[in-house]
């Protein structure tokens, strides 16, 4: 059975800190790993990772995938209060029309002043 | 298992067919959601139900018709779909809508429209 585990479950940091969120997975026929940021409405897409060792970057956020050790990390540098959200990791596995997306339960990040 | 189940897991239908997707959550949540995940596109929110009442419809075409008979069950009725409607349809639930509670996702229904 496909599984995605995120850690920590929740985190409180001060503005300006750097945080690292973890996502480990077990999936049959890995296709991609996705990171989402969830605030009050639908999760918003952050990154899709398919290849090991290639860092994806968007502003203060970056992410990298290790397909050998089956995990990914999401880094946020110089955190701001607007980064407070739940960060979801999801892994797509399977082949063709049999693929599915398995979500972790998220890491709740709170950034305080 | 996240406590959210979806059936069927895969569905192939013609453009003139009528079918329904089913979602059930066993978490005691009051909010349920339908999302569409198309290839190479961000996750799209379709509908939100809070305490069985529809609170959000994100300009979804009328060929998609949701139904929420109780807080544990959510359906998506499909009729006269188009090939571009082929996608992964995800159901999620959370304790209530409009808060920052984690949404728990089901495994999705992979829909192919021929």
């Amino acid at each position: 059975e496909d599984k995605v585990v995120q850690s920590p479950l929740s985190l409180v940091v001060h503005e300006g800190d750097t945080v690292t969120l973890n996502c480990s997975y077990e999936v049959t026929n890995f296709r991609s790993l996705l990171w989402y940021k969830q605030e009050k409405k639908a999760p918003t897409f952050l990154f899709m990772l398919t290849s090991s060792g290639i860092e994806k970057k968007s502003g203060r956020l970056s992410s990298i995938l290790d397909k050998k050790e089956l995990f990914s990390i999401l880094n946020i540098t110089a955190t701001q209060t607007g980064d407070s959200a739940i960060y979801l990791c999801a892994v797509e596995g399977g082949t063709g029309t049999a693929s599915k997306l398995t979500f972790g339960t998220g890491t709740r990040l709170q950034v305080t002043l | 298992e996240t406590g959210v189940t979806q059936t069927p897991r895969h569905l192939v239908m013609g453009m003139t067919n009528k079918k329904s997707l089913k979602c059930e959550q066993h978490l005691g949540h009051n909010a349920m959601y339908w999302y569409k995940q198309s290839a190479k596109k961000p996750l799209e929110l379709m509908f939100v139900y809070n305490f069985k009442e529809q609170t959000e419809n994100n300009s979804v075409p009328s060929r998609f018709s949701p139904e929420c008979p109780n807080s544990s069950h959510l359906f998506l009725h499909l009729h006269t779909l188009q090939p571009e409607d082929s996608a992964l349809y995800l159901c999620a639930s959370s304790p209530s809508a409009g808060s920052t509670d984690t949404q728990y996702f089901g495994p999705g229904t992979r829909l192919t429209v021929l």
Side-chain angles (χ1 to χ4, degrees):
Chain A
E1 187 180 321
D2 296 349
K3 193 162 73 170
V4 176
V5 178
Q6 292 186 245
S7 63
L9 291 180
S10 66
L11 192 55
V12 181
V13 300
H14 294 297
E15 204 171 40
D17 287 350
T18 293
V19 297
T20 298
L21 310 183
N22 302 292
C23 175
S24 63
Y25 63 89
E26 294 173 25
V27 67
T28 304
N29 295 318
F30 173 89
R31 296 179 75 170
S32 63
L33 184 144
L34 303 102
W35 282 99
Y36 293 90
K37 178 182 181 182
Q38 185 195 319
E39 295 170 279
K40 288 199 173 182
K41 289 197 172 180
T44 52
F45 173 80
L46 296 175
F47 299 109
M48 175 187 275
L49 302 156
T50 54
S51 302
S52 266
I54 298 173
E55 186 183 51
K56 292 229 173 169
K57 214 167 157 55
S58 175
R60 296 175 295 102
L61 276 65
S62 64
S63 183
I64 198 160
L65 173 67
D66 186 327
K67 287 166 76 172
K68 185 179 173 190
E69 300 297 331
L70 307 181
F71 78 91
S72 173
I73 58 172
L74 176 68
N75 275 325
I76 309 175
T77 58
T79 51
Q80 302 170 358
T81 54
D83 296 326
S84 297
I86 294 168
Y87 290 83
L88 291 168
C89 173
V91 176
E92 185 180 12
T95 52
T97 57
S99 70
K100 67 169 187 174
L101 206 54
T102 303
F103 281 80
T105 51
T107 292
R108 182 186 293 272
L109 174 66
Q110 187 180 347
V111 182
T112 62
L113 290 170
Chain B
E1 288 291 332
T2 63
V4 181
T5 58
Q6 290 187 243
T7 55
R9 295 296 316 283
H10 314 282
L11 179 62
V12 179
M13 60 188 287
M15 290 192 283
T16 57
N17 291 158
K18 284 187 182 181
K19 297 284 184 185
S20 295
L21 310 185
K22 179 182 174 184
C23 175
E24 186 173 357
Q25 57 96 1
H26 312 275
L27 301 167
H29 290 166
N30 296 304
M32 296 187 79
Y33 311 75
W34 277 120
Y35 289 90
K36 177 182 179 183
Q37 174 73 71
S38 302
K40 299 182 182 178
K41 282 190 175 180
L43 197 62
E44 298 171 56
L45 179 64
M46 300 173 72
F47 302 104
V48 180
Y49 277 82
N50 201 28
F51 294 93
K52 301 190 299 178
E53 298 296 320
Q54 188 180 121
T55 58
E56 195 148 340
N57 174 342
N58 275 348
S59 304
V60 181
S62 60
R63 56 186 185 270
F64 295 92
S65 172
E67 180 192 358
C68 188
N70 55 62
S71 292
S72 300
H73 293 87
L74 185 65
F75 294 90
L76 188 63
H77 303 300
L78 316 170
H79 63 100
T80 58
L81 294 192
Q82 305 297 312
E84 59 264 29
D85 296 322
S86 298
L88 181 69
Y89 288 85
L90 290 161
C91 172
S93 72
S94 68
S96 66
S99 68
T100 52
D101 292 325
T102 296
Q103 293 180 23
Y104 291 79
F105 284 81
T109 294
R110 173 70 63 183
L111 174 68
T112 304
V113 181
L114 301 175

